[in-house]
Amino acid sequence: MTARPAISPEFDPGLVEQAVLLRIREDPQEGEFYQSRDRLYLLPEGEEREKSFQDFHAAWFVRLQLGRPIAEALEEQPLLAGGTGRCCVFPARSGQEEGADLHQWRAARPRESAAGGSILMRVKVTRLLDTPRLQAWLRRELMHVADMLDPAFAYAPEWPAATSDPAAKNILRERYRVLWDVWIDGRLERRGWLPEGDRARRLEEFATAFPNFGPEAAERFAELFDAETQTHAGLLEMALRAGGSG
């Protein structure tokens, strides 16, 4: 069987330029960079000069290996290449805007049109400059996307009709997010990818989201953290049942 080609991430030109300009500061190559860049200003103004700047920054982006962690993280998740065709990376204005998701999920479910899906990633420029933190963030984000593509997990974007109230729906979404993150962190730990201290922080978050577990919170957390398999429906049922008033 022929292996599917790895996804090559596509980077927004603005993100590329910002990342390069930040990374090159106080770098031994800074002088060479600006000497070459300044020569581009001698070109006539217009689209050709703009394209020359984009190509220049793109070449330095590759030279400084700023996109390499994202390419490597994509390769770590084989389901991504089988279920999507592209990964587009854009700048995020804040930490809340950061994340990776499947683009136009409702328009084309992966089980119906796997080859047409795209990963849309938003990341702060400064995160690209910190490879260890970027790698940890990418692995968690892309495992979410891999789960969404996994038929065994059977992800569905719809929520129960009983949660039509906006406040109740937000609470349910948060509880579901915590449960999903716990299961993801368990798999990250078994691969040796979970940063030190993250398990304790996730347990604290779990206990806060599900106070009615009381002293059993650590045991319930461990059951989910150590689970080898899980489904979207199972997590949703747990969020509904365990988060109830009794």
Side-chain angles (χ1 to χ4, degrees), residues 33 53 73 79 90 121 127 138 210:
F33 171 82
F53 271 103
L79 275 173
F90 295 92
M121 185 182 298
R127 191 183 289 277
L138 286 167
F210 300 96

Side-chain angles (χ1 to χ4, degrees), residues 24 54 78 81-82 101 111 135 178 196 235 246:
I24 203 65
Q54 288 188 6
D101 204 351
R111 288 189 294 274
Q135 184 183 59
V178 170
E196 184 177 354
L235 292 179

Side-chain angles (χ1 to χ4, degrees), residues 179-198:
L179 293 172
W180 197 359
D181 283 348
V182 169
W183 186 50
I184 283 176
D185 278 7
R187 287 176 287 160
L188 290 175
E189 183 177 74
R190 289 190 285 280
R191 295 188 186 189
W193 291 352
L194 191 67
E196 184 177 354
D198 274 19

